[in-house]
Amino acid sequence: MDIFVSYAPVIVVVLMFLLQERIVVTPEQMEKKHREILQEVEKRFATLNSLEDLKSQFSEMKEKIDKIYDCLILQ
């Protein structure tokens, strides 16, 4: 116990430095940052479902273009 008492000022200074420099964060701060990152990712990147829908639309458009091309060549 005497060790803690003698090193108490150093421990307090180190803890305050860690908190001030945001090296140690609270769960609330981490959750807030996590939500911000998720919102930014949703704005910038497409989801897997929307990517699959886009691929299917492109394949449908390609099929329609191929049909139009075949009709033009046969006439």
Side-chain angles (χ1 to χ4, degrees):
M1 192 63 161
D2 293 331
I3 296 173
F4 292 120
V5 172
S6 62
Y7 288 114
V10 175
I11 293 171
V12 169
V13 168
V14 169
L15 287 175
M16 293 308 293
F17 174 78
L18 293 175
L19 290 173
Q20 188 177 20
E21 295 299 319
R22 303 210 190 276
I23 295 173
V24 178
V25 295
T26 63
E28 291 176 1
Q29 292 171 330
M30 192 178 330
E31 179 64 29
K32 180 181 175 187
K33 191 64 172 177
H34 179 69
R35 277 186 259 123
E36 290 174 3
I37 291 171
L38 284 179
Q39 288 174 353
E40 186 175 333
V41 166
E42 286 177 357
K43 289 178 185 175
R44 287 190 173 190
F45 300 105
T47 62
L48 187 58
N49 292 336
S50 63
L51 184 63
E52 293 296 326
D53 291 341
L54 189 61
K55 282 182 181 179
S56 67
Q57 289 176 1
F58 279 140
S59 65
E60 290 173 5
M61 286 182 0
K62 184 181 179 296
E63 291 173 5
K64 290 178 182 179
I65 290 172
D66 287 342
K67 287 179 183 178
I68 293 171
Y69 184 72
D70 288 341
C71 288
L72 290 175
I73 288 180
L74 293 177
Q75 290 181 355

